[in-house]
Every structure is written in structure tokens, then in C-alpha cells.
Amino acid sequence: MTPGISRPSAADMGRFFLWLGTAGFGGPIALVGYMEREFVDRRQWVTSQELKDGIAFSQLAPGPLAAQLAIYLGWLCGGIRGATVSGVAFIGPSFLMVLVLAALYLRFGGIGWLQSAFYGVGAAVIAIVARSAVKLTRGTLGRDRLLWILFGVTAVVTAWTESEIVWLFVLCGLTSMLIKTRGQLLRSTLLSLTALPTAGWWTTGLHGAADLSIVFTILLYFASAGLFVFGSGLAIVPFLHGGVVQEYRWLTERQFLDAVAVALITPGPVVITVAFIGYLVAGPLGAIAAGVGVFAPTYVITIALAPHYERLKSDRRVRAFVDGVTAAATGAIAGAAFVLGRRAVTDLITVAILAATFAVLTKVRKVPEPLLICAAGVVGIVTKAIQAR
């Protein structure tokens, strides 16, 4: 161990991540900043290089950035036990908050003032998603023409079909890998691959008590979605929109936007929106199934790959594949912003809310996103009250 570095106990990490999951606003980049200040600067639990390696790992492996890094740091400091404690402590508080908000939404969703609030919130959510796409584009694509092409193709396809196409993400990854490595590693890749060994309230959602088969479907669907989230938790939005709204028709466009808004106003990982969706579809059991589904791949992948990270991070094939998938995911976010925007931005008021939110996010970077969401909700309530007169 590096001199001056003192590894924390599982209890120490649990207390920190419990606090971060309860009070950590600002999205994945802000949450990573909190971890850096605590683990490196203040407590000296890990070195700066170890944290950078953890961030790189979290971007390389599928899973939401903040949750992946929390689990990785837990594993680094305390093995599987540390990873488990850190993951549960970080995700748990926001999961419980979303459960409460989902129950209130389900109970009082028909109240006029709540509908008026989400009228304004929807436009603000589109601005936040669009801003996320812009930031990811600048941070991940750079001047790489190939990645820009993959980004553009995925954005257009997502906007045109109004759904995510999983095989397109895989195809983008393979295209990037083959072109960047010029095929010279293809034979060794193929050779290595051949060598590889109910009850009532618990399931009651928007449409009454759901069958247990739906709960199982929720678990499998969100687990598959969790495998294609790279970087920002908002990368899951286009996946969820295609499945939740169009394929399964569990939620309407309006309800889906409300779910994304709830994730943005609560602390912790943005991807916790899946718990809200699961609750609306199949009650508390649906929320649990969705949460377990989306986070289980992140946990398993981290504890399985972290011991082999030194070898993986230098593999050109792996990095090129992830570059391609990340470009595709960024394009899908941009396409989803367009698709959702057509439903949420319907008049001059919502156009103004979207423009104002985007401008504030771009020019005044220290304004918390939950504050913008709440402000948009107030504007929606006031607007609807004036229109009703």
C-alpha cells in the first residue's frame, strides 16, 4: 500500500456513501467530485492515481458512472464486502425516496396542481437531457471523425424510429474496434473467444395489481438496459423510452418524462428513475425488480472485472469497442432529447422554459439541476392557474 494511505473500514465507507446517497445532488460528475474530495483529499483512503483508474474503469465497463465508481472504490478498499456495502449505501437512500415519490404520484397523480407542475418540469427535463448530450459529445468524441459518424447515425436512427436499437450499439462498438485496430487483432480475438469456458399492494401500479410475470419481465428488461449504460446515467433514457413507452406500453410519454424528472430532483444516481417506473408498473415489487435489474449487472461486472483491470485497460480492442458504444450512446441521448421534446415542448411557454433552462445550465454552471426542475414546476403551476381564469 502507498505510504500515507489508510484504507477505510466497510463501516466508514458505508457511512460516507449513505450520506452521499442522501445529499449528493448534481449528477454523475458532481458525485464523482464528492468521492474525490473524501477518498483522496480529506481522508486519504486512496491515491489520486487509484481514483483516476477507478473513473477510467467506470467509463470502460457498462453501468452508470457514479454507482460504478462507488462499487469499484468499495471493492478496492474492502473487496466484495466493501463493494456490497458501498453499493447498497449509495443506492439505498435515493431508492427509498423514489418509492415514496412514486407512491404519492400514484395516489395524487390526478390532482390539478401536480399536473400543472409537470407541465413545466417536462420542458426543463428536455433541456437537461440536451445539455447532457452536448457535454458528453465534447468529452467523448473530440475530433475523432469515426466517433462523430457513429454518433450521427445513432442520433438519426433513434429520432427516426423513436426507439433504441441494441444491435446498433453493438455494431458501432465492433465498427470502432475493427477500424481502429485495422483488423490486426481480429484473429486473436476470435481465437480467444473459442477458448472461453403476488400479492395485492406489493404489485399494484397504475393499472391495478400486476401479474408476477410482469415483475419478472421488468427484472429482465432493466437488467438488459443496465448492460448498455456507459458513463452518464442519462444514457439509459433512450433505452427506457423505447421499451417502457413503445414496446411494452407501460407508461405514456407524459408519465415517462415525469419519471425522469423525479430522478433529477432526488439525490444519488440518476438511473434510479427505473425504480419510479417499476413502481408505476407493478407497485413496490416492481420498483425492487427494476432497481435490482439495472444495478445487478454493474455490481457483478465490477467485482468480476476489477481484479483483471490492469490487463483490460491496456487492451486496444476493448477500448476501441467502448469508444464506439459510447459514441452510439451519446447519439441515442441526442435522439431521445428530440423525440421527448416533441411531446413536452408544445407551446411558447414550454419553449421559453426549455430555452431558459438550457441557457442557465450553459452559462451558470453552479446552479443545481433540482433547483431548475422545481423552478420549472412553479412556472407550470402559475401558468396553468392564469390560463384557468
Side-chain angles (χ1 to χ4, degrees):
M1 187 184 300
T2 305
I5 296 299
S6 176
R7 297 297 195 211
S9 65
D12 290 333
M13 288 187 291
R15 281 190 289 270
F16 168 70
F17 282 114
L18 195 62
W19 168 82
L20 186 60
T22 304
F25 289 96
I29 301 303
L31 294 173
V32 169
Y34 289 128
M35 294 183 213
E36 180 178 18
R37 284 193 291 274
E38 185 73 14
F39 274 75
V40 178
D41 299 334
R42 185 180 172 202
R43 304 277 187 173
Q44 295 185 330
W45 285 341
V46 301
T47 65
S48 177
Q49 185 58 49
E50 286 174 331
L51 183 80
K52 291 177 182 177
D53 287 343
I55 294 173
F57 176 87
S58 302
Q59 292 174 323
L60 191 65
L65 176 61
Q68 189 106 43
L69 182 58
I71 295 171
Y72 178 86
L73 291 175
W75 172 85
L76 181 66
C77 296
I80 293 178
R81 182 186 179 193
T84 305
V85 170
S86 297
V88 171
F90 181 49
I91 297 165
S94 57
F95 178 80
L96 293 176
M97 291 179 202
V98 168
L99 280 187
V100 173
L101 290 172
L104 293 174
Y105 183 90
L106 198 62
R107 176 67 179 83
F108 300 112
I111 292 180
W113 71 265
L114 189 57
Q115 292 177 335
S116 299
F118 278 110
Y119 159 80
V121 164
V125 169
I126 299 304
I128 292 172
V129 173
R131 174 58 178 161
S132 175
V134 171
K135 290 174 65 178
L136 285 171
T137 299
R138 291 175 178 173
T140 61
L141 305 186
R143 297 184 178 181
D144 191 316
R145 293 182 180 180
L146 172 62
L147 297 184
W148 275 103
I149 292 172
L150 298 178
F151 164 86
V153 169
T154 311
V156 171
V157 170
T158 301
W160 183 266
T161 64
E162 299 189 0
S163 64
E164 92 295 343
I165 301 176
V166 173
W167 62 260
L168 183 59
F169 281 62
V170 177
L171 181 61
C172 287
L174 291 174
T175 300
S176 175
M177 181 179 71
L178 292 175
I179 292 177
K180 288 191 173 185
T181 61
R182 290 180 168 82
Q184 65 192 36
L185 298 175
L186 180 59
R187 286 193 298 274
S188 61
T189 300
L190 294 176
L191 288 173
S192 64
L193 286 175
T194 58
L196 286 174
T198 149
W201 175 79
W202 278 97
T203 59
T204 299
L206 285 168
H207 309 294
D211 190 272
L212 287 179
S213 63
I214 294 180
V215 177
F216 185 67
T217 300
I218 290 172
L219 176 66
L220 292 182
Y221 172 72
F222 285 109
S224 65
L227 288 172
F228 285 90
V229 181
F230 286 83
S232 171
L234 283 175
I236 203 173
V237 169
F239 279 96
L240 299 187
H241 178 264
V244 170
V245 177
Q246 295 185 325
E247 181 180 354
Y248 294 106
R249 300 187 184 279
W250 287 330
L251 302 183
T252 65
E253 296 278 357
R254 178 78 265 166
Q255 291 162 347
F256 180 76
L257 275 173
D258 295 348
V260 177
V262 166
L264 291 171
I265 63 174
T266 52
V270 174
V271 78
I272 201 66
T273 187
V274 301
F276 188 89
I277 294 171
Y279 193 106
L280 296 188
V281 177
L285 197 57
I288 294 171
V292 170
V294 82
F295 287 111
T298 298
Y299 174 81
V300 172
I301 288 171
T302 301
I303 62 176
L305 295 185
H308 310 287
Y309 175 47
E310 286 300 320
R311 177 175 56 85
L312 287 173
K313 71 179 182 181
S314 59
D315 192 312
R316 292 175 58 199
R317 293 164 297 182
V318 174
R319 285 199 171 276
F321 181 83
V322 171
D323 284 344
V325 173
T326 302
T330 306
I333 294 175
F338 174 79
V339 172
L340 296 172
R342 291 194 303 177
R343 274 77 170 183
V345 183
T346 56
D347 52 30
L348 291 177
I349 298 297
T350 48
V351 169
I353 293 173
L354 184 150
T357 304
F358 191 86
V360 170
L361 287 170
T362 304
K363 303 297 183 181
V364 190
R365 299 179 181 178
K366 292 185 178 181
V367 176
E369 291 176 359
L371 182 61
L372 293 176
I373 293 289
C374 292
V378 172
V379 172
I381 293 172
V382 172
T383 300
K384 289 297 184 181
I386 293 174
Q387 292 175 349
R389 290 181 179 177

